C-alpha cells in the first residue's frame, strides 16, 4: 500500500506547566502498550498520528527540558482552528498540565513504590486517543490476549484507517466514527475477525458520530454516558471513562493489571478488584490511578511489549507497514 505523504505545516512549542518532575520518554512511550502502528518511539523522539476532524496529522515530538517541541505534518488545509485543537489535544494527551508533585511526595513514602519511582519519576499519564478511539481500544482488549488484540487492531486500521508517511516514517492513522459507521457487522466479523465485537462496534461508531468529545465532557459522568452505547456495561464504561477523563484517582483494572498490583502491594498472586483498589486508595489517596500506572509500567520496563525503535531500523519498520506479509 502506498502511504499518503504529509508535508510540514507547523511547529508547536508546548511548555510543561504541571508541578513535579517530567520524564518525556516514559510519558510518550509506555512499555505495556501493544503495537498499533499509530506511533513509534526512539529514546529521544516520538512520532504519532492524530485525526483532527477530517484532517490527518502526523506529529513528531521531542523535548528540551520542560518544553515539548511538536512538528506537525499534514496534506490537508491546515487552519488556525486545527492548530488550536492540536495544542489542546497534545497538552491533555501527555499530561503537560498534570500536577505530579503531590503524587511524588506520597510515593516516596511507600516502600513498594521505591523502584518504580526511581526509574520512572516524572512519567505522566498518556492517552493520545480521543473518546471514540479509547472506546475501540477498550472493546478490543476485552477478554483476550494481547496478541489477539493486536491482530484485531491491525485488521481494523489496515482496512478502515489510513497509511501516511512524514518525517521519514510511515504510520497508520485512525478512522473517524463517520468513516466506520457504514461498515456492516458482517464485514467486521468476516474481514476484520472481530468475533462478537463485530455487533458492538457499529453502535460505537454511531454513538460517537452523534456525540462530540465536547458534548461528552459537558455531560459530566462519562461512565454513565458511555453506558448509553448498546453492548457497553459498567465495567467497560468505567475503563473507557478512566482513560478519557485523565482522573489521577481512577485506574482501569483489568485481570492482568490486577495480578501485577496484587503481587506488588499485597504479596499474593491475585486479589479482588476491591482489595487492590482499596490498597491503592489507602496508600495514594487521590492518586490511585497514577500509582497503578507506575506499578504496571515498571513491570514491563525490562521486557516492553513494543520496544523502542532503533533509528537504523526505521526502513524495516516502514517496509513492514507498507508491504505487510512480504
Amino acid at each position: 500500500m502506498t502511504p499518503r505523504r504529509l508535508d510540514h505545516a507547523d511547529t508547536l512549542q508546548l511548555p510543561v506547566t504541571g508541578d513535579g518532575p517530567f520524564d518525556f520518554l516514559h510519558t510518550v512511550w509506555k512499555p505495556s502498550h501493544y503495537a498499533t502502528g499509530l506511533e513509534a518511539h526512539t529514546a529521544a523522539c516520538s512520532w504519532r498520528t492524530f485525526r483532527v476532524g477530517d484532517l490527518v496529522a502526523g506529529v513528531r515530538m521531542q523535548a528540551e527540558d520542560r518544553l515539548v517541541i511538536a512538528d506537525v505534518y499534514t496534506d490537508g488545509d491546515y487552519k488556525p482552528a486545527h492548530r488550536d485543537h492540536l495544542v489542546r489535544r497534545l497538552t491533555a494527551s501527555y499530561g503537560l498540565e498534570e500536577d505530579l508533585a503531590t503524587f511524588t511526595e506520597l510515593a516516596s513514602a511507600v516502600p513498594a513504590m521505591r523502584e518504580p519511582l526511581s526509574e520512572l519519576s516524572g512519567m505522566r499519564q498518556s492517552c493520545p486517543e480521543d473518546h471514540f478511539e479509547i472506546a475501540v481500544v477498550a472493546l478490543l482488549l476485552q477478554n483476550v490476549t494481547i496478541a489477539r488484540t493486536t491482530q484485531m487492531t491491525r485488521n481494523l486500521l489496515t482496512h478502515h484507517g489510513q497509511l501516511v508517511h512524514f518525517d521519514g516514517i510511515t504510520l497508520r492513522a485512525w478512522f473517524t466514527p463517520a468513516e466506520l459507521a457504514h461498515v456492516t457487522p458482517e464485514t467486521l466479523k468476516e474481514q476484520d475477525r472481530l468475533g462478537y465485537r463485530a455487533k458492538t462496534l457499529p453502535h460505537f461508531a454511531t454513538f460517537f458520530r452523534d456525540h462530540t468529545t465536547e458534548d461528552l465532557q459537558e455531560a459530566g459522568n462519562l461512565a454513565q454516558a458511555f453506558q448509553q452505547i448498546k453492548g457497553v456495561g459498567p465495567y467497560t464504561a468505567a475503563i473507557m471513562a478512566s482513560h478519557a477523563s485523565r482522573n489521577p484517582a481512577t485506574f482501569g483494572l483489568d485481570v492482568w493489571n490486577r495480578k501485577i498490583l496484587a503481587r506488588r502491594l499485597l504479596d499474593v498472586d491475585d486479589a479482588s478488584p476491591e482489595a487492590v483498589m482499596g490498597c491503592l486508595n489507602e496508600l495514594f489517596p487521590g492518586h490511585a490511578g497514577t500509582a497503578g500506572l507506575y506499578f504496571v509500567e515498571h513491570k514491563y520496563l525490562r521486557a516492553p511489549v513494543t520496544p523502542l525503535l532503533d533509528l537504523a531500523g526505521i526502513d524495516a519498520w516502514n517496509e513492514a507497514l507498507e508491504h505487510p506479509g512480504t
Side-chain angles (χ1 to χ4, degrees):
M1 180 184 296
T2 301
R4 297 169 58 187
R5 300 278 169 165
L6 308 183
D7 297 322
H8 189 269
D10 200 358
T11 299
L12 308 176
Q13 296 192 355
L14 309 171
V16 180
T17 58
D19 290 341
F22 175 62
D23 179 339
F24 172 75
L25 172 60
H26 295 111
T27 292
V28 297
W29 171 69
K30 295 296 191 287
S32 74
H33 287 189
Y34 68 95
T36 61
L38 295 164
E39 60 186 13
H41 314 279
T42 68
C45 186
S46 176
W47 296 268
R48 172 81 196 199
T49 57
F50 294 88
R51 294 303 300 266
V52 186
D54 291 332
L55 200 67
V56 180
V59 178
R60 179 190 65 197
M61 290 176 290
Q62 49 196 342
E64 296 179 1
D65 297 323
R66 295 179 70 86
L67 182 69
V68 174
I69 300 169
D71 283 292
V72 181
Y73 298 77
T74 182
D75 67 350
D77 185 10
Y78 183 76
K79 299 177 180 179
H82 295 125
R83 186 180 210 270
D84 293 342
H85 179 104
L86 271 175
V87 168
R88 293 193 302 271
R89 178 108 177 244
L90 293 171
T91 298
S93 292
Y94 297 105
L96 304 186
E97 296 177 341
E98 183 180 334
D99 179 3
L100 274 187
T102 303
F103 165 74
T104 302
E105 183 178 354
L106 286 170
S108 64
V110 177
M113 184 61 83
R114 186 171 295 119
E115 289 185 18
L117 188 63
S118 172
E119 299 190 63
L120 299 173
S121 179
M123 176 181 70
R124 282 130 198 277
Q125 296 187 45
S126 60
C127 187
E129 292 80 17
D130 66 15
H131 287 17
F132 169 62
E133 294 159 3
I134 290 166
V136 174
V137 171
L139 179 66
L140 299 182
L141 283 168
Q142 280 185 353
N143 306 317
V144 291
T145 64
I146 290 296
R148 177 78 173 102
T149 296
T150 301
Q151 177 195 52
M152 291 187 289
T153 304
R154 182 174 59 246
N155 291 346
L156 281 172
L157 291 172
T158 299
H159 298 144
H160 310 292
Q162 300 191 40
L163 197 66
V164 299
H165 186 88
F166 66 97
D167 191 46
I169 197 162
T170 298
L171 292 177
R172 296 189 179 104
W174 276 103
F175 40 79
T176 66
E179 290 168 351
L180 195 70
H182 70 279
V183 181
T184 66
E186 291 74 23
T187 296
L188 294 170
K189 182 177 182 180
E190 299 301 324
Q191 175 184 265
D192 302 313
R193 314 290 293 175
L194 297 194
Y196 73 86
R197 299 161 191 80
K199 293 183 178 180
T200 305
L201 192 53
H203 298 303
F204 278 41
T206 300
F207 178 84
F208 287 100
R209 181 194 62 194
D210 299 336
H211 296 78
T212 66
T213 295
E214 290 73 20
D215 292 339
L216 291 168
Q217 288 172 337
E218 291 175 3
N221 190 332
L222 277 176
Q224 186 174 6
F226 289 152
Q227 288 183 66
Q228 298 175 40
I229 306 171
K230 186 175 180 180
V232 173
Y235 173 76
T236 299
I239 291 177
M240 291 160 56
S242 70
H243 287 289
S245 67
R246 299 190 55 81
N247 185 344
T250 63
F251 188 65
L253 197 64
D254 61 30
V255 63
W256 311 112
N257 293 347
R258 188 185 72 216
K259 290 182 178 180
I260 291 170
L261 294 171
R263 294 186 187 106
R264 182 59 69 99
L265 294 172
L266 302 171
D267 198 26
V268 295
D269 287 337
D270 200 358
S272 69
E274 294 77 15
V276 170
M277 288 307 302
C279 187
L280 279 175
N281 285 319
E282 180 181 353
L283 294 172
F284 308 95
H287 297 271
T290 305
L293 177 72
Y294 270 66
F295 283 126
V296 169
E297 297 307 328
H298 184 257
K299 172 67 176 179
Y300 286 92
L301 193 56
R302 299 289 179 268
V305 177
T306 306
L308 290 170
L309 183 63
D310 189 304
L311 283 174
I314 288 182
D315 287 345
W317 167 280
N318 293 344
E319 178 70 17
L321 284 180
E322 294 172 21
H323 303 96
T326 60

